[in-house]
Amino acid sequence: MLDREPPFRPVRRRDGFLPLEDFGLIGDGATAALVGLDGSVPWLCVPGFDAEPLFCGLLDRLGGGQFGATAEGLVEARQRYQPDTGVLVTELRTETGLLRLTDALALRSGADLTDDSPADRGELVRLAEVLDGTVRLHVDMQPRGGGLARRAFSGLEITAPQVPGVRLHLRSSHPLSGLHNRYDLAQGDRVELVLSWGRIHRHHRVDVEASIRQTAAAWRRWMTGFDYDGPQEAMVRRAAITLKLCDHWVNGSVAAAPTSSLPAPIGGVRNWDYRYSWIRDAAFAVFALRRIGFGGEADAFLGWVLDAFEQSRRPQIMYTLAGGPVPDERLDPGLGGYRDSAPVRWGNGAADQRQHDVYGEVVDCADQWSLAGGEVEPGLWAGLAGVADAAARTWRTPDQGIWEVRGEGRVFTYSAALCQVALDRAAAMADRLGLPGPAPRWRATAGEIRRAIVEDAWNEQAQTICEHLDGRGGVDASLLALPLRRVVAADHPRMVATAKAVAERLGAGDGLLYRYRHDESPDGLPGDEGAFLLCSFWLADNLTGQGRLDEAEELYTSLCERASPLGLLAEQVDPATGALAGNFPQAFSHIGVIASGVALARAKDVARARPKAGVAA
């Protein structure tokens, strides 16, 4: 649970690894790093989110590499963010003293985070200060695959074969003897460290404190745009910053997560590379960001989606953050995996899957773009009209679905629903903007699909809309999103029954939900998985839409309380232990925090404004 003044706690490892709850995220709009409760940086890809990792001890504690700054004889520690920033503070206590470590991926002086220009300096800055007693500080840099250091430009120039072509430079306020250094420090002493890539500062003095101050100021300027008055306000604030940390500020895209191959569950093989941008994330992210005051980020993501769509000439389910094709999936036998859960994967094999929901995602993004004042040019409209026509042709045909099954495709109800969205939004845009196209036919087909979802996919015996459009298959938590996409209203009797069936049959306890049952809905992969957090947020949205506001808020609160002390969420939760699982932090989970909070706050406002029974209006 988010705790802005957390207590110290022992630094514990499981199978030699810190739990995910013991990592904080820092970023600069170009890449991101994880900082451990022990002062390590075991994850950083340079120069960008989806580049080769410089440090990936997160995926192999012996050979993955890290940048450590820790206190000898560490007993306990705590982490917190400087308020309303992406600047992380880690305090490390030993038997002899207390060390404070402040970390940031530095931003340019005066950086405007609402702009689409680069704000990053290509620098990881670390400030170690002894607050009490004496501390022996260990500073160790171990790039993946090893590194060679030579003296250059008042510091060390580092060659790391794993990231060829990237110029690395380490500077410090104290002498550097190599990649492994020890400093005996007393109260008031400080050590400043700057790791740079891409630029070499020949004559710049080390001033980490000023860099951290400028970085924090840029974050706080951005957060002046935050606008939210609802439940779990502190968690929603932190979720907004976390989404921004997953955002590529120049391109406007959002990484699903800044990490790869964190397993769900431990010991399983469901380890995927999430450092790319999924089109389906866009509509949900745009809804969330716009409603808490960040319309600029929402518009940037929409614009990126439409640019990527036009460049690829046909909608893909995911793209690189630059809008290009996602690399082919490959296994990395050189890494043992987080908590020895191999394989480690780079690239993503689902990129070329047939997923019909992408039709609805693209056209819905275009509709939101135009409603916000964006121009729909003839070339873009021709492509969108083609997508609508494709949705009309394919909604009854098999695909791999929103959950990206790696087995045989089926006719998924959710995929058909998003084809309905494509046709409904295309017809609306044609009418509203006077654009050419068969709007009456699109609208009629959208109505036909909606009827099929409510009637054909309905299983009377199971009392639910089913996973497959013919009323067969298991219960599917993705159907909880139908009201969010305006396909079936949350208070429609069959949607109410479906939400009830999902909660009962996919429930993992304490408000957690599985996406589906693997024995009922085989996905081509061995083993099970954890509870999927976003599905529980969707359930909260359904309860809100049904007017069951107390139940919705109770569930919403319980989900927010599953965050780490820093307010971060992974993709999944292990129902047996409550531990976070899967890639971390996960953008989709934080979108759920924001979107469900906004929906609940608005519903409560409406309920308060409604005249009570027996009281004259």
Side-chain angles (χ1 to χ4, degrees):
M1 178 170 57
L2 173 63
D3 189 343
R4 287 179 284 189
E5 288 295 333
F8 282 89
R9 62 187 188 274
V11 178
R12 294 194 174 100
R13 291 176 173 82
R14 301 167 187 168
D15 304 318
F17 292 80
L18 292 175
L20 297 185
E21 294 86 341
D22 285 353
F23 289 105
L25 181 71
I26 56 176
D28 60 7
T31 191
L34 291 180
V35 182
L37 187 63
D38 61 353
S40 65
V41 177
W43 182 263
L44 173 65
C45 300
V46 295
F49 285 100
D50 52 3
E52 286 288 327
L54 175 63
F55 308 122
C56 60
L58 186 69
L59 299 178
D60 192 305
R61 62 189 177 89
L62 298 179
Q66 65 164 343
F67 183 6
T70 193
E72 184 174 291
L74 179 60
V75 175
E76 58 183 7
R78 65 178 181 175
Q79 285 183 309
R80 66 182 184 275
Y81 283 106
Q82 291 186 4
D84 280 352
T85 76
V87 177
L88 184 66
V89 177
T90 306
E91 292 180 350
L92 308 161
R93 178 172 283 159
T94 72
E95 292 184 354
T96 62
L98 177 62
L99 180 76
R100 181 172 65 199
L101 183 65
T102 306
D103 286 297
L105 286 175
L107 303 180
R108 298 175 186 271
S109 177
D112 181 358
L113 275 58
T114 65
D115 197 2
D116 60 359
S117 58
D120 64 291
R121 292 173 53 89
E123 291 181 346
L124 168 61
V125 296
R126 316 197 73 185
L127 173 61
E129 307 168 86
V130 179
L131 302 182
D132 185 50
T134 61
V135 172
R136 170 167 280 193
L137 175 67
H138 290 217
V139 175
D140 298 289
M141 178 175 293
Q142 179 190 350
R144 184 193 175 187
L148 300 175
R150 69 176 184 87
R151 297 190 180 280
F153 312 136
S154 67
L156 299 176
E157 186 175 66
I158 300 167
T159 302
Q162 196 68 27
V163 287
V166 177
R167 302 177 68 193
L168 300 170
H169 188 230
L170 179 64
R171 292 176 292 148
S172 174
S173 59
H174 285 51
L176 293 166
S177 60
L179 296 182
H180 304 282
N181 299 271
R182 303 291 180 267
Y183 305 108
D184 289 312
L185 307 173
Q187 183 174 342
D189 290 345
R190 57 173 56 188
V191 175
E192 300 182 359
L193 299 163
V194 181
L195 174 63
S196 307
W197 48 92
R199 298 186 303 153
I200 300 299
H201 301 287
R202 290 175 178 267
H203 306 295
H204 289 196
R205 70 185 182 92
V206 175
D207 194 350
V208 166
E209 187 172 14
S211 183
I212 289 172
R213 187 169 57 249
Q214 293 165 0
T215 298
W219 278 106
R220 291 187 178 116
R221 284 193 299 273
W222 181 73
M223 278 298 289
T224 60
F226 180 80
D227 182 15
Y228 174 80
D229 182 16
Q232 298 292 318
E233 190 266 351
M235 185 64 188
V236 174
R237 293 184 83 90
R238 181 46 54 186
I241 295 171
T242 304
L243 274 184
K244 187 68 172 176
L245 287 167
C246 294
D247 181 9
H248 193 290
W249 299 349
V250 174
N251 296 333
S253 52
V254 176
T259 56
S260 175
S261 300
L262 291 176
I266 299 298
V269 299
R270 299 168 184 269
N271 313 335
W272 315 114
D273 190 350
Y274 275 15
R275 300 172 301 150
Y276 310 109
S277 196
W278 270 251
I279 294 296
R280 74 170 58 93
D281 292 7
F284 289 110
V286 166
F287 174 91
L289 289 168
R290 196 181 299 284
R291 283 156 181 78
I292 58 170
F294 296 118
E297 282 72 16
D299 289 343
F301 199 1
L302 288 175
W304 175 84
V305 168
L306 299 179
D307 286 344
F309 164 61
E310 285 197 285
Q311 291 169 13
S312 63
R313 297 186 180 181
R314 69 181 184 89
Q316 303 283 338
I317 66 168
M318 71 180 86
Y319 297 88
T320 66
L321 300 184
V326 170
D328 291 339
E329 187 171 291
R330 61 183 175 88
L331 303 184
D332 189 337
L335 296 172
Y338 176 73
R339 294 185 59 186
D340 302 319
S341 297
V344 170
R345 292 182 171 94
W346 309 115
N348 198 298
D352 294 324
Q353 282 187 351
R354 182 179 296 277
Q355 296 180 24
H356 297 155
D357 67 302
V358 72
Y359 299 142
E361 307 295 358
V362 168
V363 183
D364 190 39
C365 284
D367 186 43
Q368 293 192 53
W369 170 261
S370 70
L371 287 169
E375 183 179 359
V376 179
E377 298 176 347
L380 173 58
W381 176 245
L384 294 170
V387 169
D389 288 337
R393 290 193 305 270
T394 60
W395 66 275
R396 292 184 185 275
T397 61
D399 73 337
Q400 309 312 121
I402 182 176
W403 303 133
E404 300 177 354
V405 300
R406 299 213 170 188
E408 185 177 353
R410 282 101 78 185
V411 183
F412 289 103
T413 300
Y414 184 82
S415 296
L418 268 289
C419 289
Q420 192 273 350
V421 169
L423 292 157
D424 175 79
R425 307 304 193 266
M429 291 174 66
D431 290 346
R432 185 175 67 247
L433 303 176
L435 297 169
R441 176 166 57 82
W442 288 338
R443 189 172 292 106
T445 306
E448 182 183 356
I449 298 173
R450 184 184 180 280
R451 182 209 60 78
I453 292 169
V454 174
E455 298 180 10
D456 298 348
W458 174 258
N459 186 306
E460 183 66 25
Q461 182 178 0
Q463 285 292 293
T464 183
I465 297 172
C466 285
E467 174 188 36
H468 302 156
L469 197 58
D470 62 2
R472 299 179 184 178
V475 181
D476 180 0
S478 72
L479 301 177
L480 293 174
L482 297 183
L484 281 63
R485 313 316 296 266
R486 307 200 309 271
V487 178
V488 182
D491 58 357
H492 187 289
R494 290 192 170 179
M495 193 65 234
V496 172
T498 298
K500 182 174 183 289
V502 169
E504 290 177 351
R505 299 174 207 173
L506 297 182
D510 298 323
L512 296 175
L513 294 175
Y514 297 109
R515 296 185 294 176
Y516 46 88
R517 294 286 183 185
H518 291 262
D519 55 345
E520 296 179 349
S521 306
D523 57 13
L525 293 166
D528 292 322
E529 59 184 0
F532 204 78
L533 278 167
L534 185 65
C535 296
S536 291
F537 283 112
W538 288 346
L539 179 58
D541 293 335
N542 276 260
L543 294 173
T544 297
Q546 295 171 23
R548 297 159 63 182
L549 302 187
D550 290 344
E551 294 173 72
E553 185 161 10
E554 181 181 0
L555 174 57
Y556 176 69
T557 299
S558 74
L559 296 172
C560 290
E561 289 177 346
R562 292 189 177 277
S564 74
L566 290 171
L568 304 179
L569 290 165
E571 178 184 54
Q572 299 180 28
V573 169
D574 182 340
T577 65
L580 298 175
N583 280 307
F584 176 86
Q586 172 81 359
F588 233 167
S589 297
H590 295 86
I591 290 169
V593 170
I594 297 170
S596 295
V598 168
L600 187 55
R602 292 188 172 189
K604 292 175 70 175
D605 287 344
V606 170
R608 280 192 292 266
R610 187 181 301 124
K612 294 182 180 180
V615 178

